[in-house]
Amino acid sequence: MKNSFVALLTVTVAAAGVVAGQWWSSRQHSAATATPTSAETAKAGPAARRILYYRNPMGLPDTSPTPKKDPMGMDYIPVYEGEEPESTSGAPQVRISAEKVQKMGVRTEAAALRPLGRVVRASGRVEPDERRVYAVTAKFEGYVERLHVNATGQPVARGQALFEVYSPELVSAQREYAIAAQGVRALAGAGGDAAAGMRQLAESSLLRLRNWDIPPDQVEALARTGEIRRTVTFRSPVSGIVTEKKAVQGMRFMPGETLYQVTDLGAVWVIADVFEQDIGSLKRGARATVRIDAYPERTFSGTVTYVYPTLNAQTRTIPVRLELANPGHLLKPAMFAQVELAAADTRPVLAVPDSAVIDSGTRRIVLVQVGEGRFEPREVKTGARSDTHVQVLEGVREGEQVVVAANFLIDAESNLKAAVGALAAHAGHAAPGPSAVPASGPAATGAAAHAGHAAPPPASVGHRAEGIVEDVDAKTGSLSLNHGPVPTLRWPAMTMEFKVANESLLRDLKPGTKVRFEFVEREPGEWVITSVSRM
């Protein structure tokens, strides 16, 4: 009996242990699947973002592992993990929100192969065609007997009488020819040496008169009648303008002395002074357009006929000669001309709009869009230029999107200067980056302490203020505001004028409107509004 009671007690205790074990197991499972409390949620929530370093608020290439202020009292901006510039090419990138990109009016265009179609511009002057300038001279000594054209600038026709001269030598030569011609007629029936000698004398006298440029009709009349004329008339060899007159009535002249100069201005030259860097793209036969200040509504077309082989060392220019028709003699010698020459090279080259290139004087940079809201500054090497595009020799590939509008706003809004400064970091002068910030220790502890209970959002580069619109000038793209204090600049309330980054910002703004606005300093003393909203 006693043994049966012990066995029953043992079975009861074992059953109770099994039931207790099942109950404890179910409690543990329920606790594991139950909804956590708010305290537990707070403990299990996401950790605060880690601050890598602090950057200069005005875009200077300066970073700090700990919080600090710049000389103007502005706090350095924290850069969080995951916000540091990234680039597969090793160059830093600029990140801008889609809202900012749209607000600033950023536009991009693909780098593409295109013929530049370059136009070379130069200044020039109108000059007479040297092949159309004629000098009127006498080949014998004499005196000016009478002037038929007695003023410089007078137009003359071909064959028109200019002046008459008297020369004792000419009278003697005429008399000699008349006697020889009379002797030839007298000995016409006789033979022998006398007749041959007389004919030879007549021919030499006639040749002498012809060499003196005596008019043929006067020589024929002399041979026919034997009448000797006291004077000889000189006529214009071409239709044109008397550009020089040295003959004075009654003056004595010597053989070879220029008495008149007549210039045909039916066609003229334009001598253009082209800079030496442009001369390689000019060829003979290239078309040219000429504009004259005296006729602003007209253009004249010409052709490049000669590129001179000399360089002016003072102006570093090379003369290029153009030939132009001159109907109505509108183009007058010594007029100034503005010349546009078409470059001969039409080969397609990789080019971008000239507005895409930021030229600092020492290097040239373009902003390449590598993703939505992400831009990468690249140093490029440029070549030839046209009116709207510039050739890119290195730095950009065909098809890549480059920023062609709002470049300087990206500079101001997104710390481009610091990003560009980091380009030099690869040469051994980098500013402290994320790798320079200690992950632990006092600096990291200070950064975490500064973050406190909540990490502050990244600050933007620029300044904020509120004010009242005083005046809106859409023509100049400016806005006059009576604004309140600006803490980031330590400015008191005042009225001043701002430029706007985009004309669309002026829309719906009228005098008296209360606004909130953000602005940056584009140039020393030049403040540009990047966003504005009505209050």
Side-chain angles (χ1 to χ4, degrees), residues 261-292:
Q261 180 176 283
V262 181
T263 303
D264 179 7
L265 296 178
V268 294
W269 288 351
V270 171
I271 306 300
D273 297 320
V274 178
F275 289 104
E276 58 179 317
Q277 63 264 27
D278 297 325
I279 204 66
S281 59
L282 297 181
K283 306 294 181 184
R284 290 185 60 180
R287 301 297 300 172
T289 301
V290 178
R291 290 180 172 82
I292 305 295

Side-chain angles (χ1 to χ4, degrees), residues 117-436:
R118 192 158 66 99
V119 175
V120 176
R121 291 178 173 82
S123 59
R125 58 202 172 277
V126 179
E127 294 187 0
D129 187 338
E130 295 175 359
R131 299 165 298 186
R132 296 171 176 261
V133 179
Y134 299 86
V136 180
T137 62
K139 298 179 181 179
F140 49 84
E141 182 183 350
Y143 300 88
V144 176
E145 187 79 4
R146 182 182 178 187
L147 295 178
H148 295 284
V149 176
N150 55 7
T152 302
Q154 185 173 338
V156 294
R158 181 184 179 89
Q160 180 177 339
L162 298 177
F163 60 100
E164 296 180 12
V165 300
Y166 162 73
S167 172
E169 291 183 65
L170 182 59
V171 173
S172 176
Q174 289 183 81
R175 183 176 293 109
E176 182 180 339
Y177 173 71
I179 294 173
Q182 185 179 0
V184 169
R185 287 193 296 271
L187 298 175
D193 294 338
M198 190 59 67
R199 285 195 301 271
Q200 189 175 10
L201 179 60
E203 290 175 358
S204 61
S205 299
L206 179 61
L207 181 61
R208 185 181 181 186
L209 292 174
R210 286 175 176 170
N211 288 341
W212 281 353
D213 295 332
I214 304 303
D217 56 343
Q218 187 171 341
V219 174
E220 291 176 3
L222 176 62
R224 185 176 62 255
T225 63
E227 181 181 358
I228 299 172
R229 298 187 57 180
R230 181 175 179 276
T231 61
V232 174
T233 302
F234 281 77
R235 301 180 182 276
S236 174
V238 68
S239 297
I241 304 296
V242 176
T243 53
E244 187 175 345
K245 184 188 80 69
K246 294 184 178 180
V248 179
Q249 189 160 330
M251 68 172 285
R252 179 187 179 186
F253 58 86
M254 301 301 292
E257 184 177 352
T258 300
L259 300 177
Y260 277 78
Q261 180 176 283
V262 181
T263 303
D264 179 7
L265 296 178
V268 294
W269 288 351
V270 171
I271 306 300
D273 297 320
V274 178
F275 289 104
E276 58 179 317
Q277 63 264 27
D278 297 325
I279 204 66
S281 59
L282 297 181
K283 306 294 181 184
R284 290 185 60 180
R287 301 297 300 172
T289 301
V290 178
R291 290 180 172 82
I292 305 295
D293 291 341
Y295 315 107
E297 73 285 355
R298 298 193 57 172
T299 59
F300 301 86
S301 298
T303 306
V304 176
T305 57
Y306 188 63
V307 179
Y308 286 82
T310 55
L311 171 73
N312 188 322
Q314 283 73 34
T315 60
R316 309 305 301 174
T317 57
I318 297 174
V320 174
R321 187 172 72 207
L322 315 175
E323 291 187 12
L324 283 76
N326 188 22
H329 294 176
L330 294 178
L331 301 178
K332 307 183 188 308
M335 275 186 167
F336 283 110
Q338 299 297 326
V339 182
E340 295 181 356
L341 304 164
D345 193 359
T346 58
R347 298 173 300 169
V349 296
L350 182 62
V352 298
D354 54 0
S355 62
V357 180
I358 303 174
D359 193 342
S360 67
T362 57
R363 58 182 176 177
R364 297 166 181 84
I365 295 171
V366 299
L367 291 173
V368 179
Q369 186 179 30
V370 294
E372 187 67 28
R374 293 190 295 122
F375 304 91
E376 179 178 301
R378 293 189 193 166
E379 187 170 354
V380 296
K381 182 179 180 182
T382 59
R385 290 178 176 269
S386 69
D387 290 341
T388 57
H389 288 76
V390 58
Q391 180 185 6
V392 177
L393 303 176
E394 297 177 4
V396 176
R397 295 184 298 272
E398 182 181 1
E400 289 188 311
Q401 296 287 331
V402 298
V403 179
V404 300
N407 310 46
F408 77 93
L409 289 178
I410 294 178
D411 182 351
E413 184 71 18
S414 304
N415 198 21
L416 174 61
K417 291 182 180 179
V420 171
L423 287 174
H426 302 286
H429 298 283
S435 61

Side-chain angles (χ1 to χ4, degrees), residues 450-463:
H450 184 268
H453 57 278
S460 61
V461 176
H463 314 281

